[in-house]
Amino acid sequence: MEVIDNAFMRKITVVHIISSLEMGGAETTLFRLCSNDTTIKHVVISLTSEGVYGKKFRKMGVDVYSLNLSKSVFGILRCWNLYGILRQIDPQIVQTWMYHADFLGGIMAKIAKVKHVVWGVRTTELKEKSYSTAVIRRVCALLSHVLPSKIVVVAEASRARHHQLGYDAAKMILIPNGFLVADFSVENMQKEALRKEFSITGEDTVVGCVGRLSQDKGQDVLIEASRFVLDKYPYVKFLMIGRGIDNSNLDLRSKIEKESNLQAFILAGERNDIPVCMSVMSIFCLPSRTEGFPNVLVEAMISEVCCVSTDVGDARLLGGDDVILAEPNSPEDLSRKILLLVEKSKDERRQLGERLKNRAISEFSIEKMVHRYQILYQGLIRS
């Protein structure tokens, strides 16, 4: 393992530019990086609002700037505020997270004469009708040959897809997301309180799904698959967690009533106790149509929950032989794969969960991720 020169690293300032600081995979990874790397000075700039993470960053001593950009003319003109902030901070490295930040942050960093720009690629495919993002991605593919020093990809699937799109493959470096195992330690009292809240007993078979409601996350596929599962095992419960997934969403309730059985579903909405929620799941399901590095799958693995996932992004690499894979966008195949786990004994599911947890700890620790970023920063400055 390459040695990090801590004295040298303390002289480095890295400015992170990200589209928003709402709850999401990129935002969570950025927070984990900054909170577990005490050698470098990190500064965070959100192109929009400071969302849910702004206060958390400030609480741990990280400076946060929110540009509140919009699509209006006045919003676009605020881009020059970014230039002013970068000139004032004068960082050695600017790291951008996701396409809009790669494009805008990368250009402004170069205008501000920042020596090193690091882009962050976190997806494989775009959701339908993301026309403006598709254009920006195409432009970034051209700029990748001249603008960034390095391009961090979180998944092998993302690397392959972006090379296909024309991104500079020679600049790509793989840094998988990292996780704190301690964050997933759950007390029995917490678990029992949640079971009571959701009216779940210790004997129930619970299939869980976590993610904001969107087409690319595939909740509609899981809802359709649930009908086939419930036809055979009507006692199975489906716990769905994420922004937009609650009982106030009448369209969602209507879809479940039409496609399945609403009484079998627990619509929990967006929550900040995901480890506790995962602790009451018998089976975790990732029904996505597209992913890069599916954070939530690794979180389920760390939580010692056996998993079924659509074969998207790096799901196959993350879980090895112990995550059961289904065809994307196929409710029938997804239901068959869920039934494989429903029909296993509790002990068999427990053993699967244990193997998945051991794999996650070995391959995706926060320490490994932070060390990889430190090697990247150190190498750039010394070059």
Side-chain angles (χ1 to χ4, degrees):
M1 184 176 288
E2 187 173 334
V3 176
I4 299 299
D5 184 342
N6 289 331
F8 174 78
M9 297 293 277
R10 289 190 185 97
K11 301 173 184 177
I12 296 176
T13 297
V14 178
V15 170
H16 301 273
I17 301 174
I18 192 165
S19 298
S20 81
L21 289 174
E22 295 295 348
M23 190 70 71
E27 295 84 350
T28 301
T29 300
L30 174 56
F31 181 76
R32 287 172 179 161
L33 172 61
C34 294
S35 58
N36 287 278
D37 178 17
T38 58
T39 59
I40 295 170
K41 178 176 174 58
H42 294 278
V43 179
V44 175
I45 301 175
S46 169
L47 296 181
T48 53
S49 69
E50 66 176 49
V52 299
Y53 274 111
K55 289 182 180 178
K56 293 183 178 182
F57 277 113
R58 288 198 177 93
K59 188 175 181 180
M60 65 183 190
V62 173
D63 293 333
V64 178
Y65 298 82
S66 301
L67 300 184
N68 296 306
L69 298 185
S70 65
K71 295 180 180 179
S72 68
V73 174
F74 293 107
I76 294 171
L77 289 175
R78 287 200 195 104
C79 292
W80 289 105
N81 292 345
L82 176 56
Y83 167 80
I85 294 168
L86 292 176
R87 290 295 292 169
Q88 176 187 342
I89 298 172
D90 192 25
Q92 291 92 338
I93 298 171
V94 162
Q95 182 169 349
T96 57
W97 299 70
M98 299 183 291
Y99 298 123
H100 291 80
D102 291 343
F103 174 70
L104 181 58
I107 289 174
M108 286 299 173
K110 283 301 183 184
I111 294 173
K113 301 188 184 304
V114 177
K115 186 173 182 181
H116 295 291
V117 174
V118 177
W119 278 1
V121 169
R122 306 188 62 80
T123 61
T124 49
E125 301 295 342
L126 301 177
K127 60 185 178 182
E128 285 186 11
K129 299 181 180 179
S130 300
Y131 303 123
S132 62
T133 303
V135 171
I136 289 175
R137 184 167 70 166
R138 286 292 182 183
V139 174
C140 284
L142 296 173
L143 292 176
S144 70
H145 298 270
V146 295
L147 202 157
S149 301
K150 291 289 182 181
I151 303 170
V152 173
V153 295
V154 298
E156 288 290 356
S158 297
R159 189 207 297 264
R161 178 61 178 136
H162 286 78
H163 178 42
Q164 185 182 49
L165 288 166
Y167 275 68
D168 190 339
K171 293 180 179 179
M172 293 185 190
I173 177 173
L174 176 66
I175 302 182
N177 294 335
F179 301 82
L180 270 174
V181 177
D183 288 348
F184 295 86
S185 177
V186 176
E187 301 289 337
N188 282 333
M189 184 172 61
Q190 296 173 290
K191 186 186 300 187
E192 292 308 315
L194 195 71
R195 280 179 173 157
K196 184 176 181 180
E197 178 184 345
F198 291 157
S199 299
I200 294 171
T201 72
E203 299 305 311
D204 285 330
T205 299
V206 180
V207 178
C209 174
V210 179
R212 72 185 187 283
L213 183 63
S214 70
Q215 184 191 50
D216 54 326
K217 294 300 180 185
Q219 286 93 350
D220 59 314
V221 180
L222 177 59
I223 290 168
E224 292 179 40
S226 70
R227 179 175 75 250
F228 302 108
V229 175
L230 292 169
D231 282 347
K232 194 167 185 181
Y233 298 102
Y235 58 82
V236 172
K237 294 185 177 180
F238 290 84
L239 171 60
M240 299 181 71
I241 300 161
R243 193 184 317 151
I245 306 176
D246 54 51
N247 287 307
S248 68
N249 188 332
L250 300 183
D251 289 339
L252 178 63
R253 287 172 58 90
S254 176
K255 179 172 181 61
I256 295 172
E257 286 179 330
K258 179 182 177 182
E259 301 286 350
S260 187
N261 177 8
L262 184 60
Q263 300 305 313
F265 279 76
I266 302 164
L267 306 180
E270 187 171 27
R271 299 182 65 98
N272 58 10
D273 60 347
I274 298 303
V276 183
C277 292
M278 286 187 169
S279 74
V280 303
M281 296 177 188
S282 313
I283 299 162
F284 174 79
C285 178
L286 182 75
S288 297
R289 289 184 170 88
T290 178
E291 288 283 352
F293 183 104
N295 283 333
V296 70
L297 182 58
V298 181
E299 290 171 354
M301 291 164 61
I302 295 173
S303 299
E304 220 165 318
V305 184
C306 60
C307 302
V308 57
S309 171
T310 47
D311 191 3
V312 293
D314 273 14
R316 182 182 294 271
L317 294 176
L318 299 186
D321 296 330
D322 288 323
V323 168
I324 295 179
L325 298 174
E327 296 174 17
N329 206 26
S330 172
E332 294 83 2
D333 193 47
L334 184 61
S335 67
R336 284 193 291 268
K337 301 306 168 56
I338 292 172
L339 285 168
L340 287 177
L341 291 178
V342 170
E343 291 170 351
K344 287 185 180 294
S345 68
K346 283 187 176 182
D347 189 56
E348 287 174 317
R349 290 200 295 260
R350 180 186 58 76
Q351 290 176 24
L352 264 178
E354 285 179 354
R355 291 202 299 269
L356 288 170
K357 180 176 182 177
N358 291 335
R359 179 178 177 84
I361 293 172
S362 172
E363 299 294 329
F364 308 112
S365 70
I366 191 68
E367 292 82 8
K368 275 194 173 183
M369 184 192 79
V370 169
H371 185 75
R372 286 165 176 153
Y373 275 109
Q374 289 174 337
I375 290 172
L376 170 62
Y377 300 149
Q378 182 173 267
L380 285 174
I381 300 302
R382 285 184 165 169
S383 66

